[in-house]
Amino acid sequence: MMEFIAVNMAPIMFASLVMFLLLGYPVAFALAANGLLFFFIGVELAPLSDGTITLGWNLLGTMPDRFWGVLSNETLLAIPFFTFMGIVLERSGMAEDLLDTIGQLFGPIRGGLAYAVIIVGALLAATTGVVAASVIAMGLISLPIMLRYGYDRRIASGVIAASGTLAQIIPPSLVLIVLADQLGRSVGDMYKAALIPGMVLTGIYMGYVLVMSILRPQSMPALPLEARTLGSGVTSLIVALVVAVAVAFGAHYWLAETYGAKNADILGAVAGIVVIYIAAILDRAAGGKLMSRLAQQVIIVLIPPLALIFLVLGTIFLGIATPTEGGAMGAVGALLLAAVKGRLNLAVVTQALASTTRLSSFVMFILLGARMFSLTFYGVNGHIWVEHLLTSLPGGETGFLIAVSVLVFLLAFFLDFFELAFIIVPLLAPAAEALGIDLIWFGIILGVNMQTSFMHPPFGFALFYLRSVAPRQTYTDPVTRARMAPVTTGQIYWGAVPFVCIQIVMVALVIMFPQMVMHYKGAPVDTSNVTITLPQMPGLGGGLGGGLGAPGGLPAPGAGGLGTPPGLAPAPAPGGLGVPPGLAPPNAPAPGGLGVPPGLAPPTPTAPAPAAPAPGGLGVPPGLAPPATGEVTPPDAGPGLARGGVPPGLAPPAQD
């Protein structure tokens, strides 16, 4: 029995963790307690595991280093920055201004308020990255207005909850930061890859509203004329946009052609936006002689959050700032926007700091618990068990992605996206990499899927956030003075179901069309015309030019060569390496080549002896040079003094 438990420790440990979570224990403590408990069991059962368990007491000494690695992770530092930015923006009233302005813009058409909620949800997602802030803000501001003008309660609830979850997939999403950290990939690449899927999902939400406005027009009526306080003026807004585009094009052309400025297109767009924004402010101060009130309001309200989006995401995509630095700039920008609106005070900063500290501590404790769990789980070879289990699924890469998507979808009924990212993703990533799946693509699939964790009845957090601000009892509308029925929990849950289905469809689209994600790699490089030219490699003799001088008692080096001790110098070819006598072949080596030792090469009777070295070569000590072309130097020439000479009695007989 003990042997069976020891060999199957990994699945038993995973099942135990699921049981802890289902019993309702906090995730961080369930992870840490499960890891410690099975660590002690694993150490005791290691001798019975046939090598499956590799745990030892000394591994506990590595935990401080693992914890310090979590605490010093600069990537995760972006989480408190973006959280602080989102909360400050929510307190600054930006969401209220956006909803009112865009609601007025789309008010004359059916479903106009629903379109406004979706667009504002996308803008808030791109500026805050926090689901709770988006859902609560839109629930407080737009839900009473939608109920006032006759919107179906299920559609209104579903649109608000789903639009808030766009903060999960549209950068700067917190879940993308965590996924990038767990997958070991760049946060900037993850942001680039998520941009198109986030925009496509926003478009599908708007497509659903369009279909429902056609099939059930009474469920989302247009705003009545008396509710459109800004009046008309769409033509004036279009003219202002055309002027801004013309200014941007002119600035781009001037900067690019005159000065050859880098990023002239971006600088031109900034110039056009600044000009039209200043014009709208001056026109409002002058009493509105150039633009309509609607055009003024749209320009003045929309440009600051768009500028903040560029400050955060634009600098990241252009490579100017890291995600952590972008988050810091976004936090400063949010404080400036709140100050400009006159809503920056000590209470706002205190609330933002308290909420940021609470969320950061929550993430940190889960990470520390996950480190303890992963230490034990890897020590019992749990990662190998999970990898074999997943890579053996039928269907290869597609089968794996479908199975993982179903698994994450089911676990999202019970687990938050942080818990999924810290528990499940580290187990899935090795299997995905073993199958050759791009981990950025895999992360986006998981990110879209994890959105459903906010929308699942009965545990979706977005539904809880909306329930906390939706009216629970009959109330009197402050504008119309009519008695309004409450919004029930059942209506909120049923309103979320169509958007959960849309999110599942979006997961399938990302799997079927990976090009939506792979654009983060940039344009493919055509390698058909690429030529690789290697530099010329100089000979070893020339490469050691100005080489080492010979120590005392050794001959001086030749030009560019190494000094050779007496008795070992061969007769080298110019620029080559000398071969010691007695090891040189009968034929001299080619210039720059190496000779073959004698006795290993077959004799060549007709081959001449090696030629004497050229001037500038290596000196040869007396008595060791081979004969030159079969001639023997007479004794009176002086032993070893004649170039190529050989003392009597040492030269081999010449061969005819």
Side-chain angles (χ1 to χ4, degrees), residues 267-293:
L267 295 175
V270 170
I273 292 172
V274 169
V275 167
I276 201 66
Y277 184 69
I278 293 175
I281 293 177
L282 294 177
D283 188 55
R284 171 177 284 187
K289 298 180 180 179
L290 294 177
M291 302 181 189
S292 64
R293 288 182 57 204

Side-chain angles (χ1 to χ4, degrees), residues 115-207:
Y115 292 129
V117 167
I118 294 171
I119 293 172
V120 171
L123 289 173
L124 290 178
T127 51
T128 66
V130 182
V131 174
S134 299
V135 174
I136 291 174
M138 291 190 295
L140 287 172
I141 299 164
S142 63
L143 184 59
I145 300 174
M146 297 172 83
L147 298 180
R148 178 183 305 154
Y149 296 112
Y151 270 68
D152 183 272
R153 281 166 167 72
R154 289 179 294 181
I155 291 179
S157 302
V159 166
I160 292 173
S163 301
T165 62
L166 288 173
Q168 285 287 96
I169 192 62
I170 294 179
S173 163
L174 298 184
V175 69
L176 295 180
I177 298 174
V178 175
L179 284 174
D181 176 70
Q182 295 298 305
L183 293 172
R185 293 297 182 266
S186 163
V187 178
D189 287 345
M190 194 73 78
Y191 279 178
K192 291 178 185 176
L195 201 56
I196 291 180
M199 295 172 65
V200 170
L201 184 60
T202 304
I204 295 176
Y205 284 171
M206 298 179 73

Side-chain angles (χ1 to χ4, degrees), residues 248 250-269 271 318:
H252 165 259
Y253 182 81
W254 179 64
L255 291 170
E257 296 297 328
T258 306
Y259 294 102
K262 296 177 65 175
N263 299 321
D265 50 351
I266 297 174
L267 295 175
L318 292 174

Side-chain angles (χ1 to χ4, degrees), residues 65-147:
D65 289 336
R66 293 170 67 87
F67 287 164
W68 176 249
V70 173
L71 297 173
S72 60
N73 190 333
E74 292 188 5
T75 301
L76 296 179
L77 190 61
I79 292 178
F81 283 138
F82 285 122
T83 304
F84 180 82
M85 180 180 75
I87 295 172
V88 169
L89 288 177
E90 188 263 327
R91 298 285 191 277
S92 70
M94 185 185 73
E96 181 178 354
D97 294 341
L98 285 172
L99 282 168
D100 179 62
T101 302
I102 299 180
Q104 297 272 348
L105 182 63
F106 286 91
I109 62 176
R110 292 189 182 275
L113 286 177
Y115 292 129
V117 167
I118 294 171
I119 293 172
V120 171
L123 289 173
L124 290 178
T127 51
T128 66
V130 182
V131 174
S134 299
V135 174
I136 291 174
M138 291 190 295
L140 287 172
I141 299 164
S142 63
L143 184 59
I145 300 174
M146 297 172 83
L147 298 180

Side-chain angles (χ1 to χ4, degrees), residues 429-631:
E433 197 163 18
L435 289 171
I437 297 173
D438 185 275
L439 290 186
I440 295 289
W441 179 38
F442 185 59
I444 300 302
I445 294 172
L446 293 178
V448 177
N449 207 332
M450 286 180 188
Q451 279 187 277
T452 59
S453 68
F454 281 90
M455 296 289 291
H456 279 155
F459 301 115
F461 282 90
L463 307 182
F464 292 162
Y465 299 145
L466 183 59
R467 174 69 281 176
S468 67
V469 297
R472 295 175 177 269
Q473 299 175 348
T474 303
Y475 67 99
T476 301
D477 185 81
V479 175
T480 62
R481 298 297 176 184
R483 295 290 292 173
M484 306 295 294
V487 177
T488 66
T489 302
Q491 290 170 337
I492 294 176
Y493 284 176
W494 279 112
V497 170
F499 292 94
V500 172
C501 296
I502 290 174
Q503 290 171 347
I504 295 173
V505 170
M506 189 64 207
V507 173
L509 290 176
V510 176
I511 294 175
M512 293 169 60
F513 303 102
Q515 298 85 357
M516 284 195 293
V517 173
M518 294 303 181
H519 68 89
Y520 82 92
K521 293 184 176 181
V525 178
D526 183 12
T527 59
S528 59
N529 297 322
V530 175
T531 303
I532 300 176
T533 304
L534 296 176
Q536 293 293 330
M537 302 298 291
L540 291 176
L544 296 174
L548 302 176
L554 299 181
L562 291 177
T564 309
L568 293 179
L577 289 180
V579 181
L583 295 180
N587 6 6
L594 294 178
V596 182
L600 297 181
T604 310
T606 58
L618 296 179
V620 183
L624 291 181
T629 63
E631 295 180 358

